[in-house]
Amino acid sequence: MTDNTESAHRPTSDPSGLVPSVPAPDIVRCAYLDLVVTDLKRSRDFYVDLLGLHVTYEDDEAIYLRSFEEFIHHNLVLRKGPIAAAAAFAFRVRTPEDVDRAEAYFRELGCRTERRKEGFVRGIGDAVRVEDPLGFPYEFFYEVEHVERLHMRYDLYSAGELVRLDHFNQVTPDVPRGRTYLEGLGFRVSEDIKDSEGTTYAAWLHRKETVHDTALTGGDGPRLHHIAFSTHEKHNIIQICDKMGALRMSDRIERGPGRHGVSNAFYLYILDPDGHRVEIYTQDYYTGDPDNPTITWDVHDNQRRDWWGNPVVPSWYTEASLVLDLDGNPQEVIKREDKSEMAVTIGADGFSYTRAGDDAGSYRGEASKGFKLGSQV
């Protein structure tokens, strides 16, 4: 393991110190999450028997899972361990040389890095893991074992089939700092949430041509907010809800189903046996043009998180999974000092609107309109 904690050269044009002078790696997409769980059998029951992810390989210590349309070895690794946490957010890069670029990039940032030519997990070759400037464990790799792509195996296709890994969502105290760092790494912002005073509450960033490969949610962090898998249609998500109801697992449905304002996607949030949050997600939009505009939402618009105006449950704002350092220890969780999105939009002191033109007074405190009657916490 290489510990690179010494100060690195910063270009004078970058006062943030978050954009090195060396080229960034060319990131293709989010590719897999390395997730530590405390009970492998219970996790298998959830991810395989309930959600229908496909097993690529398993033993007594780990299960490697992939979605229906995936051809690389896995999208999710479940590893047995003492603490439920995220061990690595892994991104595929475009060429083998981009692994070198990733290592050099994070070394210049002064981040701790570790390189393994044989990979950190089964099915992945040469890879570098880093503790990034936000405290998250990132991995970058190119070499990967190919497996059968199941996209035409309709004999295996379930009514709630998860077809692709879509994105990660990360909780961080300082969203603008995280945005600067990820934009320097080559991510582009598709949408964000702000207020009139300049506070940024969340940002959605992408490399592939969808709304996001990862998002930054303002809160105490670093923590993993959720991992998201896509379905083909809305009815696949409804089927998952029906299945969970039939299995008397409705208490594991945290939020939804519903339609997001941000991303326009249909969604469902559920909790695995360790409390790791999983989003089931479908029907966002194309973002591939170089001048794709960023959509900014007012934090007081009650349709930003749910297009139907339903409020967000408090746990969605406050609960998240720990992340690990390169030694496998939990990273320290830093308290967010900026305003909380939940505090400014929900409850007796929070005001929101649906029609900014005729109801805007509500979020200035002139009237108490906004969320539906009985929904305040």
Side-chain angles (χ1 to χ4, degrees):
M1 182 177 295
T2 304
D3 191 348
N4 301 290
T5 56
E6 68 277 10
S7 298
H9 170 71
R10 311 285 187 210
T12 55
S13 60
D14 173 37
S16 71
L18 293 171
V19 184
S21 59
V22 298
D26 187 355
I27 298 168
V28 175
R29 59 168 171 138
C30 63
Y32 81 87
L33 182 69
D34 186 356
L35 193 64
V36 181
V37 299
T38 59
D39 187 322
L40 205 55
K41 182 186 182 304
R42 290 181 67 205
S43 294
R44 191 188 197 283
D45 291 344
F46 181 87
Y47 287 99
V48 179
D49 296 345
L50 172 65
L51 293 182
L53 286 170
H54 299 275
V55 177
T56 302
Y57 175 85
E58 61 183 323
D59 58 26
D60 292 339
E61 299 299 321
I63 305 173
Y64 292 75
L65 303 172
R66 71 185 190 276
S67 53
F68 189 67
E69 297 181 356
E70 188 57 81
F71 72 92
I72 71 170
H73 189 267
H74 56 267
N75 298 129
L76 179 64
V77 181
L78 303 175
R79 280 199 293 115
K80 185 168 65 176
I83 300 172
F89 301 70
F91 295 87
R92 186 111 196 256
V93 294
R94 195 164 302 278
T95 69
E97 292 73 27
D98 283 302
V99 180
D100 299 329
R101 293 186 184 97
E103 184 176 33
Y105 190 89
F106 284 92
R107 281 184 173 178
E108 185 164 331
L109 276 176
C111 297
R112 183 179 176 184
T113 68
E114 182 180 353
R115 182 84 172 259
R116 292 187 186 177
K117 294 293 185 180
E118 71 283 4
F120 291 84
V121 297
R122 182 180 291 269
I124 303 295
D126 183 22
V128 61
R129 285 192 177 183
V130 307
E131 293 175 15
D132 81 358
L134 307 182
F136 289 94
Y138 269 18
E139 177 180 309
F140 302 93
F141 72 94
Y142 173 78
E143 295 176 3
V144 65
E145 179 183 336
H146 287 200
V147 293
E148 180 187 4
R149 175 178 265 161
L150 301 172
H151 68 293
M152 297 181 71
R153 289 293 308 275
Y154 292 108
D155 56 314
L156 302 177
Y157 189 90
S158 72
E161 191 71 34
L162 306 185
V163 295
R164 288 181 295 277
L165 171 64
D166 191 83
H167 63 265
F168 310 129
N169 188 304
Q170 306 169 227
V171 185
T172 185
D174 190 339
V175 175
R177 182 171 183 268
R179 177 176 180 160
T180 297
Y181 148 62
L182 287 173
E183 285 183 307
L185 195 53
F187 287 82
R188 294 167 59 199
V189 178
S190 58
E191 306 199 27
D192 58 20
I193 296 175
K194 297 182 177 181
D195 64 19
S196 59
E197 299 173 0
T199 304
T200 301
Y201 296 88
W204 286 255
L205 303 103
H206 68 95
R207 286 295 300 173
K208 65 183 187 305
E209 297 175 346
T210 64
V211 170
H212 55 322
D213 286 272
T214 196
L216 299 175
T217 293
D220 300 347
R223 293 183 296 165
L224 164 68
H225 192 275
H226 65 262
I227 180 175
F229 290 92
S230 292
T231 63
H232 280 142
E233 301 286 348
K234 297 187 293 294
H235 66 76
N236 303 119
I237 292 178
I238 300 300
Q239 164 60 18
I240 293 170
C241 293
D242 283 340
K243 186 174 182 179
M244 293 181 74
L247 294 171
R248 296 286 177 174
M249 296 177 64
S250 59
D251 60 310
R252 306 310 289 171
I253 297 174
E254 181 190 32
R255 180 181 163 208
R259 169 79 68 183
H260 282 309
V262 175
S263 83
N264 193 50
F266 201 78
Y267 72 86
L268 173 71
Y269 293 96
I270 60 179
L271 302 173
D272 83 356
D274 283 296
H276 296 308
R277 184 181 288 108
V278 179
E279 182 181 17
I280 317 299
Y281 179 97
T282 191
Q283 300 176 343
D284 62 355
Y285 59 90
Y286 169 79
T287 59
D289 282 18
D291 56 349
N292 182 73
T294 297
I295 298 171
T296 294
W297 292 79
D298 184 344
V299 72
H300 298 289
D301 186 341
N302 70 357
Q303 292 185 271
R304 72 200 185 284
R305 291 289 190 182
D306 185 282
W307 187 240
W308 307 332
N310 291 318
V312 181
V313 295
S315 62
W316 194 91
Y317 284 118
T318 59
E319 301 300 317
S321 301
L322 296 172
V323 302
L324 304 180
D325 63 20
L326 296 186
D327 295 320
N329 301 312
Q331 288 278 26
E332 179 185 2
V333 175
I334 307 301
K335 184 176 178 59
R336 175 175 167 88
E337 299 297 334
D338 288 338
K339 289 181 289 185
S340 157
E341 184 177 350
M342 182 177 73
V344 301
T345 58
I346 297 179
D349 297 323
F351 299 95
S352 61
Y353 67 84
T354 297
R355 295 168 297 277
D358 62 339
D359 197 16
S362 64
Y363 68 88
R364 292 196 298 267
E366 297 170 8
S368 184
K369 301 178 183 178
F371 286 112
K372 297 172 184 176
L373 183 66
S375 64
Q376 281 75 17
V377 293

